[in-house]
Amino acid sequence: MVTCPECENSVVPAGTPVIGEIMECGECASELEILTLDPVRAALAPEIEEDWGE
């Protein structure tokens, strides 16, 4: 179980968590990225930025 940093809701990863996996908070719809497995910790997933062909 992970605590959402945005709304502090408890989020349960589906299946076995994997580092780098993205999951969604059911309460606030924030995307969370799993950072560590023991203990399982997550943070807000980074936004995808466009590079405009650079």
Side-chain angles (χ1 to χ4, degrees), residues 27-51:
E27 187 71 27
C28 70
S30 293
E31 290 188 336
L32 308 175
E33 179 179 8
I34 295 180
L35 301 176
T36 64
L37 297 177
D38 190 21
V40 177
R41 283 191 9 214
L44 291 174
E47 294 290 323
I48 297 175
E49 298 178 11
E50 292 188 40
D51 64 4

